[in-house]
C-alpha cells in the first residue's frame, strides 16, 4: 500500500512525468521532522524560497533540496539569535544579574529561557503519534531499511552551538580505505551467492560462566590478594624465562649493597597528577616485600617506559634504604604463539569451501574469510537513527561477510537523548508504554538490522560484545558478563559474548575487549630517554601483550580526564563512566593460554592495524564519532598453505595469521 505522505510529496514537489527520487523524499521528510511541518506548510515555504531566490520552481533534486533545507535552518537560527538578544535587553532593563541556580553553565544569563523552537514544541507533546516513512537503500541486498527513531536532538542545541546540524548522507569520503595492512595480498571479489553452510567454527577459550559474578560486591581483602597474586605469578614467570636462581630475587625496600632482581607493580606516590620520574615507586607483594612501596631511581638506565599497574622485573640495588637504583629493566616473558595440529589446520582449510555444494572457483585454494570488526557508538549524538549501523549491515550483506563482530556500546548511556529520555520509538513499534524498557529500544532500533543480515546471509556469524556504557546490560562492572537476549528480539543464531573474550574462529585465536585500554595507557604512561619503539600506539598495544591482560592499567584514569562524551557536550555535567573495574575479578581479564592471533581493541585513538610481537592488533575505531561518521575494519583471512615440513616437533603448525591477513580500515 502506497504511503500517503510520499504520495502527497510527489504530488506537491514532483512533476507530471517523473516522481521524486527516494533520496529527495528522505531529505524532505527530514525537513518535516526537524521543523515540524506538514507537506502543505513545507510547500508554502518552498514557494517563498523560490520567490526569494528568483527561481521558477525548478525540478526538486538533491542539490536543490539541500539548499532549501540550509535556508530554513539559517532562517531559524537568525530568529533564535534575535529573540535571545531581545531577551538579554529586557533583562538588562530590569537590572537582572546572573542566577547561581541556573541549570547549566551554557545558560548563565538565562538567555535561552522561554525560547521556543520546533524541537521544544515537539518535546512538549512527547508521545504524540507522527508519520515518519523512511526511504529504502538503493542497490542493497537488504531490501527494507530497518525502522529508526524519528526523533532528532533539540534544535535549541544547534542554536547554542553544542552540536552542529549534520546529515549522515552528507558525510565526506564514504567508503574510503584509510589504512591497509599486508597490501601485497589481493582484495578478493565477494561471492555471487551466500555459501551453503557456515565457514566458521566458533570455539570459546574464556570461561564465560565465570563472568556472571555478582557486581558491586567488591571486598578490600579480595582486592589486595588479587593484586598480590599477580606480582607473585610474574615472579615465577621471570625466574623461569631468565633462568634465575631463587636467591637472585629480593625486596626492593630492604637496604643492601647486593644487586637483586625485584618484581613489583609500578605506582605513583601521589593519588593526584600524572606519573612522573619523581613520583615513581615500586609496589611489592606481601610475600616478597611486605607490601612496601619504594621510590625508584631511573638515572642509570638509558631509557624507560612505565605506566601505573605495570608488572616489572628490575635489577638494581638499594644501598641507602631510601630508593631502589635501577641498573636494568628485564624483559617480561611473552605467552607462546598460537598453534594447532596439522590435521586440525587441514580440517579448517576444508571448511572454507563452504560445503559440498559450494561454487568454489579454485580447487586448490578456497576463498578467504571475510570478517568485519566494528565498535559503538553506532549513531550520532543528534539522533537515534543508527544510520552508520544500517550502512555497515548493508555492506556486510552485499559482500556476504562470514562474520561480523560488533563491540558495544549499542544503546549508549552517554548518548544525550538516551540520558535525557527525550525520544520516541518508531510508529511501527508495538509496545506497552507503561512497561517499555531499554530492551524495547534495542528491539526496535537495532535488532531489525541484525536480523535482516541473517535473512540475507543465513550462515553469517554475528557476535555482540557488551560495553560498560551499555544501558541494556545490568552487569555494570568490568570484566563484564554478556547481556541477556531476553526481550531483544534477536535471531537465535546471533551470539552475545562477554567482555573481554578469547575465542577461536576456526584456527584463529581472537581476543576482543570493548574497554578502551589503549587511550588510557597512552595518556598514563611515563616515557624517558631512548626507547625501542617511538610509536605511542604500538607501545600501548605491546603493553597488553606483555602484561597478558586486556586492561593492565591500575588504577584506571580519573573519569574527569577521559574524552568527553555526547552527554557532557550538552552540559549534563556528569563525568564519563570510566573503566568500572571490579578488582576482585581482574583475573578474568587475562589472556588465555597463548598470545591471540588477532587482538581487537576498539579505542578513541586513531584506528589502525599493526603487527606487534606476531599479534595482529586492530583498532577499528568507533563507527560513529559523535558529530561525524567513523570507521570499521575488514579482515580478509587467506587459508594457510600446509605442508608436513612446516609442522613443528609434535605435529603443531603455527597459525601465522599476521602473514596471511589483509586488513582494511575504512570510513563508513
Amino acid at each position: 500500500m502506497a504511503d500517503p505522505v510520499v504520495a502527497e510529496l510527489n504530488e506537491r514537489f514532483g512533476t507530471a512525468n517523473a516522481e521524486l527520487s527516494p533520496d529527495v523524499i528522505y531529505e524532505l521528510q527530514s525537513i518535516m521532522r526537524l521543523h515540524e511541518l506538514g507537506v502543505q506548510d513545507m510547500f508554502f515555504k518552498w514557494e517563498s524560497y523560490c520567490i526569494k531566490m528568483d527561481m521558477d520552481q525548478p525540478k526538486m533534486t538533491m542539490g536543490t533540496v539541500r539548499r532549501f533545507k540550509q535556508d530554513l535552518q539559517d532562517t531559524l537560527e537568525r530568529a533564535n539569535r534575535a529573540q535571545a538578544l531581545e531577551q538579554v535587553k529586557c533583562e538588562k532593563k530590569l537590572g537582572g544579574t546572573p542566577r547561581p541556580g541556573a541549570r547549566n553553565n551554557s545558560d548563565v544569563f538565562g538567555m535561552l529561557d522561554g525560547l521556543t523552537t520546533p524541537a521544544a514544541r515537539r518535546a512538549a507533546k512527547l508521545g504524540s503519534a507522527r508519520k515518519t516513512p523512511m526511504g529504502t537503500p538503493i542497490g542493497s541486498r537488504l531490501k527494507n531499511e530497518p525502522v529508526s527513531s524519528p526523533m532528532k536532538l533539540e534544535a535549541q542545541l544547534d542554536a547554542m552551538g553544542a552540536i552542529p546540524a549534520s546529515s549522515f548522507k552528507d558525510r565526506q569520503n564514504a567508503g574510503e580505505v584509510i589504512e591497509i595492512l599486508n597490501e601485497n595480498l589481493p582484495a578478493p571479489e565477494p561471492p555471487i551467492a551466500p555459501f551453503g553452510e557456515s565457514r566458521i567454527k566458533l570455539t570459546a577459550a574464556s570461561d564465560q560462566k565465570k563472568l556472571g559474578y555478582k557486581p558491586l560486591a567488591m571486598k578490600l581483602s579480595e582486592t589486595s590478594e588479587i593484586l598480590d597474586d599477580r606480582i607473585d605469578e610474574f615472579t615465577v614467570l621471570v625466574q623461569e624465562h631468565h633462568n634465575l636462581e631463587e636467591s637472585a630475587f629480593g625486596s626492593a625496600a630492604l637496604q643492601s649493597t647486593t644487586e637483586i632482581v625485584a618484581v613489583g607493580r609500578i605506582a605513583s606516590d601521589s593519588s593526584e597528577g600524572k606519573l612522573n620520574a619523581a613520583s615513581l615507586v615500586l609496589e611489592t607483594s606481601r610475600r616478597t616485600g611486605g607490601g612496601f612501596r619504594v621510590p625508584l631511581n631511573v638515572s642509570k638506565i638509558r631509557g624507560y617506559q612505565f605506566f601505573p599497574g605495570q608488572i616489572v622485573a628490575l635489577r638494581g640495588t638499594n644501598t641507602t634504604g631510601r630508593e631502589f637504583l635501577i641498573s636494568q629493566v628485564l624483559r617480561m616473558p611473552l605467552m607462546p604463539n598460537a598453534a594447532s595440529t596439522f590435521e586440525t589446520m587441514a580440517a579448517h582449510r576444508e571448511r572454507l569451501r563452504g560445503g559440498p555444494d559450494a561454487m568454489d572457483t579454485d580447487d586448490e585454494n578456497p576463498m578467504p574469510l571475510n570478517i568485519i570488526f566494528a565498535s559503538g557508538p553506532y549513531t550520532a549524538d543528534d539522533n537515534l537513527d543508527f544510520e552508520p549501523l544500517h550502512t555497515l549491515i548493508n555492506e556486510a550483506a552485499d559482500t556476504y561477510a562470514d562474520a561480523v563482530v560488533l563491540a558495544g556500546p549499542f544503546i549508549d548511556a552517554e548518548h544525550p537523548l538516551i540520558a535525557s529520555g527525550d525520544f520516541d520509538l518508531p510508529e511501527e513499534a508495538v509496545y506497552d508504554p507503561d512497561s517499555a524498557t531499554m530492551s524495547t529500544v534495542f528491539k526496535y532500533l537495532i535488532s531489525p538490522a541484525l536480523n535482516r543480515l541473517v535473512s540475507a546471509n543465513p550462515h553469517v556469524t554475528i557476535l555482540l560484545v557488551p560495553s560498560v556504557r551499555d544501558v541494556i546490560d545490568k552487569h555494570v562492572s568490568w570484566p563484564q558478563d554478556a547481556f541477556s537476549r531476553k526481550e531483544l528480539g534477536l535471531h537465535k543464531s546471533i551470539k552475545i559474548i562477554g567482555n573481554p573474550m578469547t575465542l577461536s574462529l576456526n584456527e584463529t585465536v581472537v581476543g576482543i575487549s570493548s574497554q578502551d585500554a589503549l587511550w588510557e595507557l597512552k595518556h598514563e604512561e611515563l616515557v624517558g630517554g631512548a626507547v625501542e619503539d617511538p610509536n605511542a600506539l604500538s607501545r600501548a598495544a605491546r603493553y597488553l601483550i606483555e602484561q597478558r591482560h586486556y586492561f593492565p592499567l591500575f588504577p584506571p584514569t580519573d573519569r574527569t580526564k577521559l574524552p568527553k562524551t555526547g552527554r557532557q557536550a550538552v552540559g549534563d555535567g556528569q563525568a564519563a563512566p570510566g573503566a568500572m573495574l571490579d578488582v576482585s575479578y581482574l583475573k578474568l581479564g587475562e589472556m588465555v593460554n597463548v598470545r591471540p592471533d588477532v587482538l581487537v581493541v576498539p579505542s578513541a585513538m586513531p584506528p589502525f592495524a599493526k603487527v606487534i610481537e606476531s599479534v595482529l592488533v586492530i583498532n577499528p575505531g568507533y563507527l560513529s564519532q559523535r558529530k561525524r561518521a567513523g570507521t570499521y575494519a575488514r579482515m580478509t583471512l587467506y587459508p594457510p598453505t600446509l605442508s608436513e615440513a612446516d609442522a613443528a616437533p609434535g605435529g603443531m603448525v603455527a597459525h601465522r595469521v599476521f602473514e596471511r591477513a589483509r586488513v582494511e580500515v575504512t570510513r563508513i
Side-chain angles (χ1 to χ4, degrees), residues 336-479:
N337 284 317
S340 301
T341 63
F342 184 88
E343 293 75 14
T344 301
M345 294 285 282
H348 288 314
R349 179 186 170 89
E350 187 62 27
R351 182 176 288 105
L352 296 183
R353 300 192 185 279
D357 299 328
M359 298 288 292
D360 204 326
T361 57
D362 191 337
D363 292 335
E364 294 295 328
N365 296 311
M367 288 190 68
L369 283 176
N370 174 11
I371 304 174
I372 292 177
F373 299 103
S375 175
Y378 291 100
T379 188
D381 277 0
D382 61 347
N383 66 73
L384 289 177
D385 290 341
F386 288 91
E387 292 171 298
L389 176 63
H390 296 162
T391 303
L392 179 74
I393 294 302
N394 289 343
E395 176 66 18
D398 291 343
T399 58
Y400 294 117
D402 293 288
V404 178
V405 182
L406 304 178
F410 297 96
I411 304 294
D412 189 1
E414 295 301 295
H415 193 287
L417 294 179
I418 296 296
S420 67
D422 189 12
F423 64 92
D424 286 343
L425 290 177
E427 188 182 56
E428 297 86 348
V430 180
Y431 64 98
D432 181 3
D434 296 330
S435 60
T437 64
M438 285 298 166
S439 296
T440 312
V441 179
F442 189 103
K443 178 179 180 180
Y444 288 105
L445 297 186
I446 295 180
S447 294
L450 303 179
N451 293 340
R452 283 184 170 85
L453 175 57
V454 176
S455 299
N457 185 2
H459 301 293
V460 65
T461 298
I462 302 178
L463 302 177
L464 307 184
V465 184
S467 162
V468 293
R469 283 168 47 175
D470 264 311
V471 174
I472 60 173
D473 198 341
K474 297 179 181 179
H475 200 283
V476 295
S477 57
W478 191 94

Side-chain angles (χ1 to χ4, degrees), residues 625-642:
Q625 298 182 357
R626 289 186 50 207
K627 301 177 184 179
R628 64 183 189 275
T631 57
Y632 68 95
R634 181 191 300 276
M635 181 176 75
T636 303
L637 182 58
Y638 282 83
T641 302
L642 299 177

Side-chain angles (χ1 to χ4, degrees), residues 204-315:
S206 301
D207 189 350
Q208 185 158 326
K209 291 182 179 179
K210 291 183 178 180
L211 291 173
Y213 65 88
K214 181 181 179 181
L216 303 178
M218 189 165 52
K219 297 179 181 178
L220 188 60
S221 59
E222 294 177 354
T223 298
S224 61
E225 289 175 4
I226 290 296
L227 296 177
D228 267 4
D229 289 347
R230 184 162 168 78
I231 296 176
D232 294 339
E233 289 168 4
F234 268 88
T235 301
V236 175
L237 292 172
V238 170
Q239 182 179 354
E240 294 176 351
H241 180 72
H242 292 280
N243 296 318
L244 299 173
E245 297 292 334
E246 190 170 349
S247 59
F249 294 85
S251 171
L254 295 179
Q255 182 178 359
S256 174
T257 57
T258 304
E259 189 176 64
I260 63 168
V261 174
V263 180
R265 177 180 292 102
I266 294 294
S268 174
D269 65 0
S270 172
S271 60
E272 299 179 355
K274 191 176 183 294
L275 184 68
N276 56 66
S279 65
L280 190 64
V281 298
L282 183 72
E283 182 182 281
T284 62
S285 72
R286 284 176 291 186
R287 187 179 71 84
T288 59
F292 285 104
R293 286 185 170 189
V294 57
L296 295 176
N297 187 329
V298 296
S299 60
K300 293 297 180 71
I301 53 178
R302 183 167 172 266
Y304 55 88
Q305 50 191 60
F306 299 125
F307 65 87
Q310 181 182 12
I311 307 299
V312 294
L314 308 174
R315 192 188 300 274

